[in-house]
Amino acid sequence: MKLRIGLDIQHLGRTGKRAGDMGAAPDLDGDGYPDHTEALLTPRIALGALEFLHAAGQDVFLFGDGEYHERHARSDAARLHVHLALHLNAGKGDYGAFFYHPESPKHNGAELARCLSDEWARVAGEILGRPLACRAIRSSASDWTRNAHYTIKGLGRRTTPIGICCEPLFLDNPDHAPLTTGGALHMCGEALGMGILEWARKTHTQGATRGTA
């Protein structure tokens, strides 16, 4: 079956009070200028995922403008199966995180987040030359995951589109620097594509999601 997958380059293209938002921009060397800017790197993840999924015969939709609730509405109107909110983390952690909606059935949100996490852990470990802990995390509007929850709260409550907030690395952790290169980010996108296809294989998408025409 052909999947319909949304790749959402978040921060980029926001309007209103958040116009110009580019996400995390840490200054690691203290020279007064950001070493990385989140919304300039996540498009490379999107490209990696797009190329991989297109080659696999899947339909891919790109999102890069409007407020998040508007993107969620467009994703729902297009009857997508999966919607990835693409981010990069800050806070000097040493893990990758994939957040799913608390109301999503286990075979959807939790399982998809787990498949994405497993594939990225494998690829990131090869790039780093050491294991990277990656987690599938239930988001909530009322705890430390609330920012991640906000990026997907209009998606995947009981059916599709299944929203996942992807935070695969920490921009302000110097040990994650090898993961921020163009090649590594492209590989991250490929890993996310692999995770989606593995989820579809495991859960027999036809029976697990809505809109299987």
Side-chain angles (χ1 to χ4, degrees), residues 176-192:
H176 288 195
L179 302 177
T180 65
T181 68
L185 293 168
H186 195 279
M187 291 173 68
C188 178
E190 293 177 345
L192 299 186

Side-chain angles (χ1 to χ4, degrees), residues 45-195:
I45 298 176
L47 179 60
L50 170 63
E51 291 181 347
F52 175 86
L53 291 165
H54 178 74
Q58 309 304 316
D59 286 338
V60 179
F61 299 71
L62 293 177
F63 297 80
D65 66 283
E67 287 303 293
Y68 296 166
H69 71 273
E70 296 171 332
R71 304 184 198 198
H72 299 166
R74 285 155 52 196
S75 185
D76 187 62
R79 297 177 65 83
L80 302 191
H81 296 98
V82 171
H83 185 117
L84 300 186
L86 300 176
H87 287 266
L88 296 170
N89 220 333
K92 300 184 179 180
D94 189 22
Y95 60 90
F98 297 86
F99 299 88
Y100 60 92
H101 199 288
E103 296 177 25
S104 181
K106 289 183 179 179
H107 63 255
N108 280 347
E111 185 60 32
L112 176 56
R114 190 173 300 111
C115 288
L116 296 170
S117 176
D118 289 348
E119 290 295 336
W120 174 233
R122 178 182 60 80
V123 173
E126 294 173 0
I127 296 169
L128 292 174
R130 65 164 175 90
L132 178 70
C134 290
R135 310 171 187 174
I137 302 173
R138 179 182 182 273
S139 71
S140 170
S142 59
D143 63 19
W144 69 275
T145 66
R146 62 185 177 276
N147 288 340
H149 181 75
Y150 176 74
T151 72
I152 58 170
K153 68 178 183 178
L155 297 161
R157 297 189 175 199
R158 301 307 305 170
T159 56
T160 56
I162 305 166
I164 304 291
C165 176
C166 303
E167 300 265 19
L169 61 94
F170 281 79
L171 287 176
D172 56 355
N173 182 343
D175 289 344
H176 288 195
L179 302 177
T180 65
T181 68
L185 293 168
H186 195 279
M187 291 173 68
C188 178
E190 293 177 345
L192 299 186
M194 294 176 195

Side-chain angles (χ1 to χ4, degrees), residues 5-70:
I5 299 159
L7 304 174
D8 188 352
I9 303 166
Q10 296 207 333
H11 293 293
L12 193 69
R14 298 189 72 181
T15 57
K17 294 181 180 179
R18 300 304 298 269
D21 176 21
M22 296 292 282
D27 174 14
L28 300 177
D29 57 14
D31 65 356
Y33 298 94
D35 295 278
H36 301 293
T37 299
E38 183 178 354
L40 298 181
L41 298 186
T42 46
R44 303 181 189 188
I45 298 176
L47 179 60
L50 170 63
E51 291 181 347
F52 175 86
L53 291 165
H54 178 74
Q58 309 304 316
D59 286 338
V60 179
F61 299 71
L62 293 177
F63 297 80
D65 66 283
E67 287 303 293
Y68 296 166
H69 71 273
E70 296 171 332

